[in-house]
Amino acid sequence: MAFNFIRVAAAGAAMALCGVGSVHAAVNLPALKIDKTQTTVSGLSSGGFMAVQLHVAYSATFAKGAGVVAGGPFYCAEGSVVNATGRCMASPAGIPTSTLVSTTNTWASQGVIDPVANLQNSKVYLFSGSLDSVVKTGVMDALRTYYNSFVPAANVVYKKDIAAEHAMVTDDYGNACSTKGAPYISDCNFDLAGAMLQHLYGTLNARNNATLPTGNYIEFNQSEFITNHGMATTGWAYVPQACQAGGTATCKLHVVLHGCKQNLSDVQQQYVRNTGYNRWADTNNIVMLYPQTSTAATNSCWDWWGYDSANYSKKSGPQMAAIKAMVDRVSSGTGGTTPPDPVALPAPTGVSTSGATASSMAIGWAAVTGAASYNVYRNANKVNALPVTATSYTDTGLAASTTYSWTVRAADANGAEGATSAAASGTTLAGSGGTATCTTASNYAHTLAGRAYAAGGYTYALGSNQSMGLWNVFVTNTLKQTSTNYYVIGTCP
């Protein structure tokens, strides 16, 4: 949300690439020697909201702490784009902080997020620019109140005395401090990344102000962990030389989440290279992980109001689970000598489909020797957010009376995939009563009736998330209900 991310389209041409471009093809994310008690997360705007989600939902992983720039309380939007653009950005007086605290406790007791007790020793760094016109300072005030229920006040630093607009603040790169515009990085003569990291980790060595080694930047294959769901096929990491595979240093890990209109397609590598994190990482053995959204995400934002999944703020949220899987991978190394190349696993055999319903299909296969998990692909798109450890998987959210094709790939303990299986096809059953229900109406009427939802001025079918065009009374679509709360664009036979 590096500007009014839902209501206004980005203006102007993309910024020119800063720093050295990608020379080599993306590689699989390496397994490095990481002290898992030293894992933290931070983010700006939609990335700030996402950082809070990860910190709270995966508090066992991110117990060390979080940094939040222009974000808000956990589950602030409560699944509503109206709440997201209203109380969670422009009118913070409406944020029901006590309700959000109660929801957090309830979800923790149900096991859909980690126990809140993990937050008791966390460090939290909060920043709000006093000129921020996108996420008002009152939203960050509400976040501080929210954290007061879980984190000791002495562990929280809240800085809001810099006249900065909506941006990641640095001491030597970006727009003028009062400017709101791409790349949403502003030179305010304040090293926010350094202040944040030093609060989270304590005293650090002085940062490296020299040109950082190009070889420390790694473009990695993000599609190993998730495909679609508004996430790009590749992400980036900065790995200090002492932390690289074969090194003996035990390193820390910090996850950095960009804001809206700040991914690689929007500002190229500026957020990865010019926000100040890597200079501190280089001299303090901190691996920096930069997951990336894609342009398929609403305004390139992270999902903090439910545009991709109703479970967006839980451990099962697709984007959440994917980032957690990246953290697990990069933290799974042991250091020492460089590990041997993995042995390619054979393709699973016996892939079959069964148990069809109007919206789901069970896929089964024979076990592969040496496999630690499996990934399932529907029509060449990966469908499981977390690794599948069984030899079966139920794929849901399918359209009725539709034929799909599934393949399966085995993965080793480091997540490296083997060969692709032969495809197995299956057809879902017809909708309720054997007859699908179709409704033709304006996009506006569809949203009022609950068959669709609006985001960023556009309309999307409920369940399938298919784009229906502009949200107004002039654009008309026919929606076919294929199962409960699941609609696709189409016609009935």
Side-chain angles (χ1 to χ4, degrees):
M1 179 178 40
F3 73 141
N4 195 337
F5 63 94
I6 294 177
R7 290 171 289 188
V8 181
M15 300 293 288
L17 174 63
C18 288
V20 180
S22 175
V23 176
H24 304 289
V27 300
N28 286 344
L29 188 62
L32 305 175
K33 188 178 181 183
I34 301 293
D35 180 348
K36 296 180 182 179
T37 69
Q38 302 294 309
T39 300
T40 56
V41 61
S42 68
L44 163 67
S45 203
S46 75
F49 281 94
M50 191 70 171
V52 173
Q53 288 177 186
L54 287 165
H55 185 212
V56 174
Y58 283 111
S59 59
T61 298
F62 296 101
K64 185 70 176 178
V68 185
V69 184
F74 179 79
Y75 200 50
C76 183
E78 295 186 297
S80 165
V81 67
V82 174
N83 288 343
T85 56
R87 72 191 193 195
C88 300
M89 292 173 60
S91 51
I95 297 176
T97 307
S98 60
T99 298
L100 303 178
V101 169
S102 177
T103 298
T104 304
N105 286 318
T106 298
W107 285 0
S109 68
Q110 294 171 346
V112 296
I113 64 175
D114 286 345
V116 296
N118 295 324
L119 298 169
Q120 291 177 357
N121 294 315
S122 281
K123 297 288 186 68
V124 175
Y125 189 100
L126 309 177
F127 180 90
S128 178
S130 64
L131 299 181
D132 196 321
S133 61
V134 178
V135 178
K136 300 296 181 61
T137 295
V139 180
M140 288 291 291
D141 293 342
L143 175 58
R144 182 177 189 175
T145 300
Y146 171 87
Y147 268 128
N148 284 344
S149 296
F150 304 105
V151 179
N155 287 7
V156 179
V157 167
Y158 184 16
K159 187 170 182 64
K160 54 178 179 176
D161 59 354
I162 293 179
E165 244 292 0
H166 192 71
M168 178 63 191
V169 167
T170 76
D171 61 350
D172 60 2
Y173 183 87
N175 297 326
C177 197
S178 60
T179 298
K180 180 177 74 175
Y184 306 98
I185 304 170
S186 293
D187 179 359
C188 297
N189 296 315
F190 180 69
D191 181 7
L192 179 53
M196 190 183 300
L197 293 172
Q198 289 178 94
H199 176 63
L200 297 179
Y201 289 119
T203 303
L204 296 176
N205 298 324
R207 71 188 192 185
N208 182 358
N209 287 322
T211 300
L212 299 175
T214 300
N216 290 2
Y217 290 92
I218 296 174
E219 185 178 19
F220 68 89
N221 177 15
Q222 199 168 257
S223 60
E224 269 197 293
F225 307 98
I226 191 170
T227 55
N228 301 323
H229 294 288
M231 292 190 69
T233 57
T234 64
W236 280 83
Y238 183 83
V239 183
Q241 291 177 347
C243 301
Q244 293 178 16
T248 57
T250 299
C251 298
K252 307 174 182 67
L253 173 64
H254 185 72
V255 179
V256 185
L257 301 167
H258 62 73
C260 301
K261 304 308 295 184
Q262 282 187 314
N263 65 26
L264 293 169
S265 297
D266 299 314
V267 299
Q268 291 76 53
Q269 296 178 44
Q270 290 185 86
Y271 206 84
V272 171
R273 292 178 180 260
N274 301 110
T275 44
Y277 289 98
N278 303 330
R279 295 184 294 194
W280 291 95
D282 199 63
T283 53
N284 291 280
N285 291 346
I286 307 173
V287 174
M288 291 290 166
L289 184 67
Y290 296 90
Q292 297 290 308
T293 65
S294 71
T295 53
T298 301
N299 279 346
S300 305
C301 305
W302 294 101
D303 188 12
W304 66 273
W305 70 91
Y307 74 75
D308 175 66
S309 169
N311 294 324
Y312 67 92
S313 58
K314 299 176 181 176
K315 292 167 66 174
S316 57
Q319 292 183 0
M320 298 275 283
I323 294 173
K324 173 60 163 59
M326 295 177 205
V327 169
D328 289 345
R329 162 71 68 78
V330 81
S331 304
S332 63
T334 57
T337 59
T338 303
D341 292 335
V343 177
L345 294 170
T349 59
V351 178
S352 62
T353 60
S354 62
T357 71
S359 61
S360 66
M361 184 74 70
I363 300 92
W365 57 90
V368 173
T369 301
S373 62
Y374 302 89
N375 292 319
V376 180
Y377 293 81
R378 181 206 319 137
N379 296 344
N381 291 312
K382 184 179 173 183
V383 295
N384 56 295
L386 294 174
V388 178
T389 55
T391 54
S392 63
Y393 179 81
T394 299
D395 192 8
T396 59
L398 309 179
S401 303
T402 303
T403 300
Y404 296 93
S405 176
W406 287 270
T407 57
V408 181
R409 299 178 70 179
D412 64 18
N414 291 321
E417 293 185 325
T420 302
S421 72
S425 297
T427 303
T428 53
L429 302 181
S432 177
T435 303
T437 300
C438 285
T439 305
T440 301
S442 71
N443 283 351
Y444 180 75
H446 279 309
T447 61
L448 291 184
R451 294 182 290 269
Y453 64 93
Y458 291 85
T459 314
Y460 301 87
L462 185 67
S464 70
N465 299 317
Q466 289 178 312
S467 178
M468 299 164 57
L470 292 171
W471 182 44
N472 58 37
V473 297
F474 305 108
V475 179
T476 299
N477 278 288
T478 298
L479 289 183
K480 177 167 63 174
Q481 183 175 8
T482 60
S483 60
T484 303
N485 294 325
Y486 199 93
Y487 296 83
V488 297
I489 299 172
T491 58
C492 293

